């Protein structure tokens, strides 16, 4: 299992003209509704999803869902042309940053009616549902939703006699105690924290910190609010900690953070469930803890994928997909999906105890309530995240925080206006 990269799809300039008819619905001879489902899970999670689809097909004789696995980059490059030529899927897994763009091109059909009438939809994690919104419509049904979490090197904590932090002040104090500069040259051999400042894990490190600090970047109704006193306090807090106590190197990406933790050179890092296998392979005795609480609590940006219905689907196929969704979110199927894939359940009726045979999934299930959607419903996410990267990287390198926030505010407002 690996984290999803932030893809930049090359989109057609014109909206899709997608026909409402398809050769796959229903089969004229058998009356069976056939649905094609594209997803990008290429590892254990993909096998688990394919097996669940097979189990759904075996559970009834009216709908057959056929999965096609494509690497995420390939899927995103090929699906719009395929839909234009009516050779694409009816059910499509999408990283949520692409949903507003695809919806604006006419490639997706809303799932609002299903949400209104489904008996299982109310049990879905509300923030997971928010990842699939565009404007006032809900286009996505959550497939995975995993809040950013903190991995700790337990041996380093034990050696330093430090407890796992639960607040920001404790976090900085613990990171300082765990930072080791044996030769006094100003470059620690061991850092207390791998604090990424650009291309962060799932683009979520600074969204998590800003929101936990009481701020935000863009509101749900499209207002740019990055230049705020709350964000100034958050950025200054962390920039001061890095500058004065050297708790983390600057210039780290998400990949760099993984590498430091894997190499035993960082006591804490931000990550997702894939880090468990990386740590085990590296012989690191690790623990998983929620992100420590900021002034506004814990608001951990989530790594997510949603299921969407394409505009290629006929009414019969839509009904078949809705039947699959109702089945997929049943508790037993959620447990199966979580244990086999490593992603926590996206419904609120499955508890950590029910997935306790996988300690990583159980820990993340307990943290699911802290998860927040990245930038729900916002179309130019790539431009906004680039502006955020510039802001955080320059702030942690000693830049003037108020000036940087004003620049970011202007840049993001311009991106939304284009």
């Amino acid at each position: 299992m690996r984290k999803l990269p932030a893809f930049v799809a090359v989109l057609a300039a014109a909206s899709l003209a997608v026909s409402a008819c398809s050769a796959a619905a229903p089969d004229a001879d058998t009356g069976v509704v056939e649905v094609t489902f594209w997803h990008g899970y290429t590892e254990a999670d993909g096998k688990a999803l394919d097996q669940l689809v097979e189990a759904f097909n075996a559970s009834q004789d009216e709908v057959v869902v056929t999965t096609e696995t494509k690497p995420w980059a390939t899927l995103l490059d090929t699906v719009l042309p395929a839909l234009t030529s009516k050779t694409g899927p009816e059910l499509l897994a999408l990283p949520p940053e692409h949903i507003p763009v695809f919806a604006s091109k006419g490639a997706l059909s809303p799932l609002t009616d299903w949400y209104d009438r489904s008996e299982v939809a109310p049990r879905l994690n509300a923030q997971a549902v928010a990842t699939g919104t565009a404007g006032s419509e809900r286009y996505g049904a959550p497939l995975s939703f995993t809040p950013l979490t903190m991995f700790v090197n337990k041996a380093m904590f034990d050696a330093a006699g430090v407890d796992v932090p639960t607040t920001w002040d404790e976090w900085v104090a613990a990171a300082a105690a765990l930072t080791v500069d044996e030769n006094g040259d100003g470059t620690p051999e061991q850092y207390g924290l791998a604090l990424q400042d650009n291309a962060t894990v799932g683009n979520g490190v600074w969204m998590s910190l800003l929101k936990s600090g009481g701020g935000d970047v863009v509101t749900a109704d499209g207002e740019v609010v990055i230049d705020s006193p709350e964000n100034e306090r958050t950025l200054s807090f962390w920039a001061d900690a890095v500058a004065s106590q050297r708790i983390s190197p600057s210039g780290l990406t998400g990949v760099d953070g993984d590498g430091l933790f894997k190499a035993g050179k960082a006591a804490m890092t931000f990550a997702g469930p894939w880090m468990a296998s990386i740590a085990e392979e590296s012989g690191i005795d690790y623990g998983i803890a929620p992100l420590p609480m900021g002034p506004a609590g814990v608001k951990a940006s989530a790594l997510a994928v949603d299921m969407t219905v394409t505009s290629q689907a006929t009414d019969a196929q839509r009904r078949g997909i809705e039947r699959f969704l109702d089945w997929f979110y049943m508790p037993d199927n959620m447990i199966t999906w979580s244990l086999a894939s490593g992603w926590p359940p996206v419904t609120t009726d499955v508890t950590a105890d029910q997935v306790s045979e996988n300690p990583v999934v159980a820990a993340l299930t307990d943290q699911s309530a802290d998860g927040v959607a990245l930038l729900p419903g916002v179309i130019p996410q790539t431009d906004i995240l680039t502006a955020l990267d510039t802001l955080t990287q320059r702030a942690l390198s000693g830049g003037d925080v108020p000036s940087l926030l004003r620049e970011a505010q202007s840049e993001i407002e311009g991106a939304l206006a284009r």
Side-chain angles (χ1 to χ4, degrees), residues 186 195 235-250 395-399:
L195 180 57
L235 283 166
S236 298
F237 177 89
W238 288 105
D240 290 346
V242 170
S244 64
Q245 307 201 54
R246 292 182 301 226
I247 60 173
S248 172
S250 60
L396 265 65
S397 297

Side-chain angles (χ1 to χ4, degrees), residues 43-57:
E43 300 187 33
D45 39 16
K47 294 179 182 177
L49 183 56
D50 291 347
Q51 290 170 356
L52 272 170
V53 168
E54 291 173 4
F56 167 73
N57 292 339

Side-chain angles (χ1 to χ4, degrees), residues 12-343:
S15 296
L16 287 174
V18 185
S19 172
C21 59
S22 169
D27 184 277
D29 295 327
T30 66
V32 173
V33 174
E34 299 178 6
V35 172
T36 301
F37 180 14
W38 286 14
H39 67 77
Y41 292 114
T42 57
E43 300 187 33
D45 39 16
K47 294 179 182 177
L49 183 56
D50 291 347
Q51 290 170 356
L52 272 170
V53 168
E54 291 173 4
F56 167 73
N57 292 339
S59 72
Q60 44 76 49
D61 56 9
E62 296 176 3
V63 182
V64 173
V65 179
T66 302
T67 57
E68 293 186 20
T69 305
K70 302 174 184 291
W72 289 110
T74 301
L75 181 151
L76 291 166
D77 282 344
T78 59
V79 67
L80 289 174
L83 290 172
T84 301
S85 63
K86 308 185 189 74
T87 58
E90 292 77 42
L91 182 58
L92 173 66
L94 277 179
E97 62 265 29
H98 298 282
I99 289 176
V101 182
F102 276 48
S104 73
K105 299 296 180 183
L108 305 179
S109 294
L111 277 167
T112 303
D113 288 346
W114 173 76
Y115 275 104
D116 289 343
R117 62 175 170 255
S118 172
E119 294 182 1
V120 301
R123 302 200 299 266
L124 293 170
N125 180 307
Q127 282 295 312
V129 171
T131 66
T133 60
S136 61
E137 296 282 10
R138 289 172 288 190
Y139 287 90
L143 185 51
S144 61
F145 181 81
T146 307
L148 204 61
T149 191
M150 185 171 68
F151 275 73
V152 303
N153 185 312
K154 292 167 67 174
M156 290 181 181
F157 271 77
D158 290 344
V162 174
D163 293 329
V164 175
T166 59
T167 67
W168 279 12
D169 287 338
E170 291 176 1
W171 203 356
V172 171
L178 289 159
T179 297
V180 178
D181 183 6
E182 291 181 349
N183 60 13
D185 66 353
T187 303
E189 294 79 26
Q190 173 183 304
Y191 289 96
L193 176 64
L195 180 57
Q196 308 147 29
D197 59 30
N198 70 103
T200 69
V201 176
N203 299 300
V205 168
W206 284 96
M207 292 297 296
S208 301
L209 294 175
L210 294 178
K211 289 188 176 187
S212 296
D216 206 340
V217 175
V218 181
T219 65
D221 59 3
E223 181 184 0
V224 182
V225 293
I226 193 167
D227 185 10
S228 69
E230 293 83 1
N231 287 343
E232 183 178 342
R233 285 194 292 269
T234 294
L235 283 166
S236 298
F237 177 89
W238 288 105
D240 290 346
V242 170
S244 64
Q245 307 201 54
R246 292 182 301 226
I247 60 173
S248 172
S250 60
L252 290 184
T253 65
V255 173
D256 296 332
D258 286 0
L260 281 177
F261 191 80
K262 174 183 177 180
K265 294 183 178 181
M268 295 177 279
T269 194
F270 301 81
W274 63 86
M275 182 53 73
S277 59
I278 292 174
E280 290 168 0
E281 291 167 2
S282 302
I284 292 174
D285 184 15
Y286 69 90
I288 301 175
L291 300 186
M293 185 179 301
V298 181
K299 300 182 187 300
S301 181
L303 307 165
V305 173
D306 291 311
M307 292 180 281
T308 63
V309 178
T310 71
S311 300
Q312 180 175 297
T314 65
D315 289 344
Q317 287 171 317
R318 282 186 60 86
R319 289 192 295 272
I321 290 168
E322 291 175 1
R323 182 168 179 173
F324 169 70
L325 294 177
D326 286 335
W327 180 91
F328 182 76
Y329 294 125
M330 297 300 290
D332 287 348
N333 299 325
M334 277 286 91
I335 293 169
T336 298
W337 166 236
S338 295
L339 291 175
S341 69
W343 301 106

